[in-house]
Amino acid sequence: MTQQTRQKQETPEQAEAAQAAAAAAPGCPPAPAPGLAQGWCALSALHSRIESHIERALQAGHDLSVREFSVLNVLSEQHDGPGGHLRMHQVADSVVLSQSATTRLVTRLEERGLLSRYLCPDDRRGIYTNVTPDGLALLVEARPTHDGALHEALQDAAQRPELAPLVTAVETLAPSE
């Protein structure tokens, strides 16, 4: 199918959606018709907007980054049963960071007294990380800020026609309370 044929089959609504998606994601080149790349650009724009909003709120209120909050959150869900503790590579996978970046982040949080590390009792090569009482207290204090900023960012994004369907998708994934 040629580019001209695609353009002829494009409805006015599709053309408007493609232009809106391109405006929402200025780093993405315009496409002749909305497609996978434009959808990805819109999703990327939504993620960036949300992460930036949460980052500002956490930094201002709790001196925490989004990544620091994520590490504290993931590690707070550990338990003492089988498979209940995470090794550093598992933490890295959970917060979508490289293993070296995760290790540096954990070191910074440990220096702040929010995490502590210890050797795995079953495998002396493994190192586990636990959230300290101070880390848990900060996480509990920061969670409403995080959740409120997430809600605000989603509400704001829902007002943009190119992002509204993605916001709806995110909201449908949330378990009903």
Side-chain angles (χ1 to χ4, degrees):
M1 182 183 299
T2 67
Q3 183 175 354
Q4 288 178 337
T5 306
R6 271 184 294 203
Q7 286 176 339
K8 286 180 185 176
Q9 291 178 345
E10 184 178 78
T11 67
E13 291 81 15
Q14 289 172 321
E16 187 177 318
Q19 289 173 345
C28 295
L36 191 57
Q38 286 305 113
W40 169 244
C41 287
L43 181 59
S44 179
L46 177 64
H47 177 269
S48 295
R49 287 170 163 276
I50 291 170
E51 190 170 58
S52 294
H53 190 76
I54 294 171
E55 181 81 28
R56 285 189 302 273
L58 286 173
Q59 283 291 339
H62 309 283
D63 193 30
L64 272 178
S65 70
V66 170
R67 298 289 187 197
E68 291 168 336
F69 179 89
S70 296
V71 167
L72 289 172
N73 188 52
V74 164
L75 290 173
S76 74
E77 295 173 357
Q78 296 183 120
H79 58 83
D80 288 332
H85 286 311
L86 302 175
R87 293 179 184 240
M88 207 53 65
H89 73 277
Q90 293 169 306
V91 175
D93 288 346
S94 296
V95 297
V96 193
L97 286 175
S98 69
Q99 196 165 345
S100 60
T102 302
T103 300
R104 288 190 301 273
L105 181 58
V106 165
T107 298
R108 286 194 307 272
L109 291 170
E110 186 178 36
E111 288 169 355
R112 289 176 59 185
L114 303 174
L115 297 178
S116 62
R117 287 188 253 200
Y118 66 95
L119 290 176
C120 169
D122 302 335
D123 179 0
R124 303 302 257 165
R125 297 170 297 169
I127 297 175
Y128 289 148
T129 306
N130 274 339
V131 182
T132 64
D134 287 347
L136 286 173
L138 182 58
L139 180 62
V140 167
E141 179 185 309
R143 190 175 308 282
T145 302
H146 174 277
D147 295 351
L150 172 59
H151 183 72
E152 289 169 6
L154 286 170
Q155 278 187 316
D156 180 54
Q159 303 306 309
R160 302 178 67 94
E162 69 278 7
L163 299 179
L166 296 171
V167 171
T168 301
V170 169
E171 289 171 339
T172 4
L173 293 173
S176 51
E177 295 175 32

